[in-house]
Amino acid sequence: MPSKNKARGNALERKIVKLAEAHGVDARRAWGSDGRSMGYTEDVDGIFNVDGEIWKWQAKKRVKIAEYIFPNGNVHIQIVEENRGKPHVVIALDDFLPLIK
């Protein structure tokens, strides 16, 4: 029997696939959350297939995420960057899926 954390991660991956499919985006989970089962690297948890273009994704479930990471009610996306890193965009999955469809 998998650990509770593994079960939570699997549930999140299933939720992502269901939400993507509800938006008309073809989505698949990697067996065992291991992208090697799909021909990718092990850190790939799943893919979105948009008109033959593959978007690889990894899901992380945490008890609490720092509030500053999330866009507030006045913006659509939040851009974060660590020192000497590159900028990353945080956007709600419900808002992201229509953009790639």
Side-chain angles (χ1 to χ4, degrees), residues 3-57:
S3 72
K4 286 183 181 182
N5 287 337
K6 180 70 174 159
R8 287 182 193 116
N10 289 341
L12 173 59
E13 292 167 10
R14 287 190 297 274
K15 180 179 180 178
I16 291 167
V17 169
K18 285 179 105 173
L19 189 58
E21 290 173 344
H23 280 85
V25 175
D26 180 33
R28 288 190 297 145
R29 290 179 61 226
W31 184 84
S33 301
D34 188 335
R36 292 176 294 187
S37 68
M38 302 170 85
Y40 302 110
T41 57
E42 65 183 307
D43 58 338
V44 175
D45 290 338
I47 62 166
F48 299 133
N49 184 346
V50 183
D51 298 328
E53 184 177 351
I54 302 299
W55 292 69
K56 297 175 272 187
W57 50 267

Side-chain angles (χ1 to χ4, degrees), residues 12 59-71 78 80 90-91:
L12 173 59
K60 295 292 185 188
K61 177 99 175 173
R62 297 290 182 261
V63 172
K64 181 76 174 151
I65 299 173
E67 288 185 33
Y68 69 86
I69 299 274
F70 297 106
Q78 182 81 352
V80 294
V90 179
I91 184 173

